[in-house]
């Protein structure tokens, strides 16, 4: 997360002390561990876990149901059903968990206790209203909706191609793993600029509050993009490329392959349970 700006509070003291310049992903790992300890690599883990459960339940359930329904109704265009279903499912899940993602981002970027974070969130709600908890939702949707649409479309296509290549009707764990990694990599690269903007907007919340600039600085998606390009050039929109790819590709692969394995396991279990009484009655 070396693209995060180092903000200063009202006393001109940085609330986040950067452990030097990061020359790469490995260098960032080493410096963070050396300066802040090994546990700092898992900063923000509790809200991440709290966020992951409802987000995954909403996202995957909505996708499966929507995709099945759309395939029946889209006729000749049924192949595009994953594209639409993925986008719609992501809008719902991202909107629900956006406040939790804001909290996670602040925990990862600032040295704050949960009590200090609670006070910060309460202050934001009092000054800017409840909508301040959804700060960064715009760029989150710009990032996640295209990501989800591309991810599911490419996943279904690559899974079908690999099944045909290996002459199998049902996708294996390896096929779903490779399909998930490939489609996740493509989608993460395309949507990286919006991830940079989302992170920058959420982290700036602390600086704006400290300097009382909440209503004086434009925080729209494209104004933040313009500021990043002006400060760091176009390459600034691609900051954190390798860490994001390293995180997203295996995460997508593990998630989808585990999900598909679980579906296949319980489908087989339910079929055996339903066939059991029928076989008993026939005998």
């Amino acid at each position: 997360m070396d693209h995060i700006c180092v903000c200063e509070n009202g006393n001109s003291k940085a609330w986040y002390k950067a452990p030097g310049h990061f020359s790469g992903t490995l260098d960032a790992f080493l410096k963070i561990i050396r300066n802040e300890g090994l546990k700092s690599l898992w900063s923000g883990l509790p809200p991440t876990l709290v966020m992951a459960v409802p987000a995954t339940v909403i996202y995957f359930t909505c996708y499966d149901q929507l995709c099945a329904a759309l395939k029946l109704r889209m006729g000749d265009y049924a192949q595009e059903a994953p594209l639409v279903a993925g986008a719609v499912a992501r809008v719902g899940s991202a909107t629900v968990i956006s406040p939790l993602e804001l909290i996670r981002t602040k925990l990862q970027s600032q040295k704050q206790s949960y009590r200090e974070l609670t006070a910060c969130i309460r202050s934001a709600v009092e000054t800017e209203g409840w909508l301040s908890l959804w700060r960064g939702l715009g760029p989150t949707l710009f990032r996640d909706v295209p990501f989800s649409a591309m991810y599911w479309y490419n996943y279904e296509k690559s899974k079908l191609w690999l099944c045909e290549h290996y002459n199998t009707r049902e996708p294996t764990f390896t096929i779903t793993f490779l399909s998930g990694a490939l489609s996740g990599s493509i989608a993460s690269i395309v949507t990286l600029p919006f991830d940079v903007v989302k992170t920058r907007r959420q982290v700036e919340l602390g600086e704006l509050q400290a300097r009382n600039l909440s209503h004086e600085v434009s925080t729209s998606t494209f104004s933040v993009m313009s500021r990043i390009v002006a400060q760091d050039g176009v390459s600034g929109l691609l900051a954190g490329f390798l860490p994001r790819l390293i995180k997203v590709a295996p995460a997508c692969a593990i998630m989808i392959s585990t999900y598909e394995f679980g579906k296949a396991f319980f489908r087989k279990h339910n079929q055996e349970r339903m066939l059991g009484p029928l076989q008993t009655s026939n005998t």
Side-chain angles (χ1 to χ4, degrees):
M1 299 179 73
D2 55 337
H3 59 279
I4 292 179
C5 56
V6 178
C7 305
E8 296 181 346
N9 61 23
N11 299 321
S12 296
K13 294 179 180 179
W15 47 251
Y16 175 72
K17 186 178 180 181
H21 178 70
F22 297 145
S23 61
T25 303
L26 181 59
D27 182 56
F29 268 105
L30 295 175
K31 285 182 178 178
I32 290 172
I33 293 171
R34 184 169 61 246
N35 287 274
E36 303 178 40
L38 185 64
K39 290 195 300 183
S40 65
L41 293 176
W42 280 268
S43 61
L45 180 60
T48 298
L49 294 177
V50 172
M51 180 178 69
V53 174
T56 304
V57 169
I58 295 169
Y59 182 41
F60 278 78
T61 304
C62 288
Y63 171 77
D64 264 346
Q65 298 298 319
L66 281 170
C67 192
L70 288 171
K71 281 181 178 179
L72 294 174
R73 290 169 172 78
M74 293 179 70
D76 295 337
Y77 300 97
Q79 289 186 341
E80 278 68 45
L83 199 73
V84 180
V88 175
R90 178 56 77 180
V91 170
S93 63
T95 303
V96 170
I97 55 92
S98 184
L100 291 173
E101 187 164 7
L102 171 63
I103 293 171
R104 183 195 65 174
T105 302
K106 289 181 69 60
L107 281 174
Q108 288 177 329
S109 62
Q110 302 180 26
K111 281 290 186 180
Q112 284 188 335
S113 65
Y114 283 99
R115 181 176 297 178
E116 291 171 333
L117 180 63
T118 303
C120 178
I121 298 299
R122 186 183 297 114
S123 173
V125 171
E126 290 174 355
T127 56
E128 300 182 34
W130 285 100
L131 289 179
S132 64
L133 296 180
W134 278 265
R135 180 184 295 272
L137 178 61
T140 296
L141 293 178
F142 274 120
R143 177 198 67 179
D144 286 358
V145 173
F147 178 97
S148 184
M150 285 186 288
Y151 171 74
W152 285 109
Y153 182 80
N154 289 327
Y155 170 73
E156 298 290 356
K157 287 288 187 182
S158 56
K159 183 175 70 172
L160 182 63
W161 182 84
L162 286 172
C163 284
E164 291 175 353
H165 180 75
Y166 288 105
N167 244 354
T168 177
R169 292 182 59 187
E170 293 295 326
T172 63
F173 184 88
T174 303
I175 287 175
T176 55
F177 189 92
L178 291 175
S179 300
L182 177 62
S183 55
S185 299
I186 295 170
S188 67
I189 292 170
V190 174
T191 58
L192 177 61
F194 295 107
D195 184 56
V196 174
V197 171
K198 179 215 60 124
T199 304
R200 180 70 66 94
R201 283 188 64 182
Q202 290 184 328
V203 171
E204 282 178 349
L205 176 61
E207 181 184 26
L208 295 176
Q209 285 180 320
R211 297 186 178 187
N212 295 319
L213 297 175
S214 298
H215 302 288
E216 298 177 21
V217 178
S218 175
T219 57
S220 69
T221 299
F222 294 103
S223 66
V224 174
M225 273 189 172
S226 300
R227 290 208 304 272
I228 293 173
V229 171
Q231 293 170 7
D232 307 315
V234 177
S235 61
L237 294 174
L238 300 176
F241 165 79
L242 188 58
R244 178 163 164 78
L245 191 62
I246 291 173
K247 180 189 77 170
V248 171
C252 287
I254 293 168
M255 175 64 79
I256 194 63
S257 55
T258 306
Y259 178 70
E260 293 280 18
F261 177 82
K263 280 204 305 182
F265 173 81
F266 286 109
R267 184 186 300 116
K268 182 180 178 182
H269 175 74
N270 290 335
Q271 288 174 347
E272 290 175 351
R273 191 175 62 177
M274 292 175 66
L275 289 174
L278 291 176
Q279 292 174 348
T280 304
S281 60
N282 290 335
T283 55

